[in-house]
Amino acid sequence: MAPLIIYGATGYTGKMASEHAKSLGLDFIIAGRTEQKLKSLASLLDVGYSVFDVDQGGLIDSVLKDASVLLNCAGPFMRTTRAFIDACIRNKVHYLDIAAEIQSYQQAQKFEEHAKNANVMLLPGCGGSVAMLGCLASHVVEQVKNPLEIDIALHVAGPMSRGSAISAAENMTSECLQLVNGTLVAQDASNTAEFDFDDGRGHVTCFPITLPDLLTIQRSANVSNIRTYIHASGDSFPTGNFDSLPEGPTVAQREAAPYHAAVTVISEDGVARRAALHTINGYTFTSVASVHAAKRVLDDEAKPGFQTPAGLFGKDFIHTISETEIKGL
Ligand SMILES: NC(=O)c1ccc[n+]([C@@H]2O[C@H](COP(=O)([O-])OP(=O)(O)OC[C@H]3O[C@@H](n4cnc5c(N)ncnc54)[C@H](OP(=O)(O)O)[C@@H]3O)[C@@H](O)[C@H]2O)c1
């Protein structure tokens, strides 16, 4: 049995992550719930595969028992995280995922002590937006004396994948949140804010949204007042029937749509410091960064309990992804 299992490997992002893992020569198998799709991807990549659903505890245990790391790419994560966190703790396997949903992180928080007792790491958001925003926030927080508040925004460019649209739409039905004095409280969804992504457009309007970074940045940057925002340009956020959407952006669409982020950190005495992050498209980033994180965990860079990519690997984790730059404003 291989030390790494990539679950949800036949999805849009899971497939790119599996291809990247193969290109790095990692020892891994792919897994998921639909045998036909797994069989054809496994044969293409020349790796083993395993078929199980999240409610098949016995089967999951038999697959996880000899593994070290599970990279879960199967979203909506509100349906997969809990079962896999339980199974990873039972089998002493480190749990990694690419969730953009706060619930995955709340589960990691809830089961942190169990994970610590089992010497297991829970690292939701090991690649993707959580790694981008966490590293950006840490870079700026380090330059501010007594940081008090963080406002941070992600610029999503180009089309979203069908899976992301489904997960985001399910998430939006819940209340919009912010972090105040370390507690998640309601945020008025009409409280827009202006951010400059340093991409030549000047200040643009961003909408408040509940991102997992409310919890992860609190941990990695040790700041207890955080608001998270999103700016979707062009046709980023689809409407209507998601079933008719393509699986995700094409290579050309990804290359034409780099992602940006912007942050403002305010100190206790009211001084604001700003920076912007320019990087590659979020889907390319996620597939590369999540596998890079899995590789480092396989190489023993793990800490028991709930960890964040910026906290575990440091703020320069972002720079392991090519074409990534942080600009002070
Ligand atoms: N944080 C980030 O920056 C970031 C970046 C990219 C993606 N994501 C997130 O990653 C997730 C996947 O995105 P995607 O574009 O790859 O979606 P996708 O193409 O729809 O793939 C989803 C995969 O998950 C599997 N799956 C879904 N629900 C499942 C369940 N209940 N039990 C078992 N397997 C299940 C699907 O299996 P079947 O094929 O058998 O249905 C498929 O393999 C989304 O939640 C998205 O928001 C986050």
Side-chain angles (χ1 to χ4, degrees), residues 104-187:
S104 208
Y105 301 75
Q106 287 170 317
Q107 294 291 336
Q109 215 168 27
K110 187 170 169 191
F111 292 100
E112 168 149 43
E113 283 312 308
H114 295 282
K116 275 187 183 160
N117 292 338
N119 214 17
V120 162
M121 180 170 71
L122 306 176
L123 185 65
C126 65
S129 52
V130 165
M132 290 178 200
L133 299 185
C135 291
L136 174 63
S138 289
H139 267 278
V140 181
V141 161
E142 252 188 27
Q143 301 164 22
V144 174
K145 198 168 170 219
N146 301 325
L148 179 67
E149 286 178 26
I150 297 179
D151 282 351
I152 193 158
L154 178 67
H155 172 205
V156 175
M160 278 172 102
S161 73
R162 186 170 56 221
S164 289
I166 291 168
S167 293
E170 290 196 11
N171 225 16
M172 272 178 195
T173 54
S174 8
E175 174 178 53
C176 182
L177 298 172
Q178 61 181 320
L179 193 75
V180 177
N181 296 327
T183 304
L184 290 173
V185 298
Q187 154 83 309

Side-chain angles (χ1 to χ4, degrees), residues 7 10-13 33-34 37 74-75 77 98 128-129 161 163-164 167 286:
Y7 189 86
T10 59
Y12 175 74
T13 316
R33 62 179 173 181
T34 309
K37 294 183 193 173
F77 290 90
I98 57 165
S129 52
S161 73
S164 289
S167 293
T286 301

Side-chain angles (χ1 to χ4, degrees), residues 25-45:
L26 297 188
D27 184 8
F28 71 106
I29 64 159
I30 58 171
R33 62 179 173 181
T34 309
E35 176 150 24
Q36 209 42 48
K37 294 183 193 173
L38 282 167
K39 203 172 168 179
S40 78
L41 182 62
S43 130
L44 201 71
L45 297 178

